[in-house]
Amino acid sequence: MRKILPIIALVGLALTILPPLVHLLGSLPLKMTFILMTVGMVVWFGAATPWLGRKDLRPSDTEVQI
């Protein structure tokens, strides 16, 4: 599951970026653009948060050096 999160997150990011560009070309209605961008935003935040936010801590990372 951990390896598929970046793929899902990038698909969500593409759904956020591409619909306005397609709308600019005149091929996509405004309402569908908003729907696709909203779905892309939810997918991006849902998949990118665990992918980018979690860092595996090792004991050497928590040592304090004086």
Side-chain angles (χ1 to χ4, degrees):
M1 181 66 180
R2 189 104 168 121
K3 293 183 180 186
I4 199 164
L5 281 176
I7 297 169
I8 295 171
L10 291 175
V11 167
L13 187 60
L15 275 175
T16 305
I17 294 172
L18 293 177
L21 298 175
V22 175
H23 175 74
L24 186 64
L25 296 173
S27 302
L28 193 63
L30 186 61
K31 186 168 178 121
M32 183 58 72
T33 302
F34 288 154
I35 291 170
L36 290 174
M37 288 177 64
T38 303
V39 169
M41 175 190 64
V42 170
V43 170
W44 165 253
F45 281 115
T49 302
W51 169 43
L52 296 174
R54 191 175 128 193
K55 179 182 175 188
D56 296 329
L57 291 178
R58 289 176 267 141
S60 62
D61 293 340
T62 58
E63 293 178 0
V64 177
Q65 296 181 1
I66 298 175

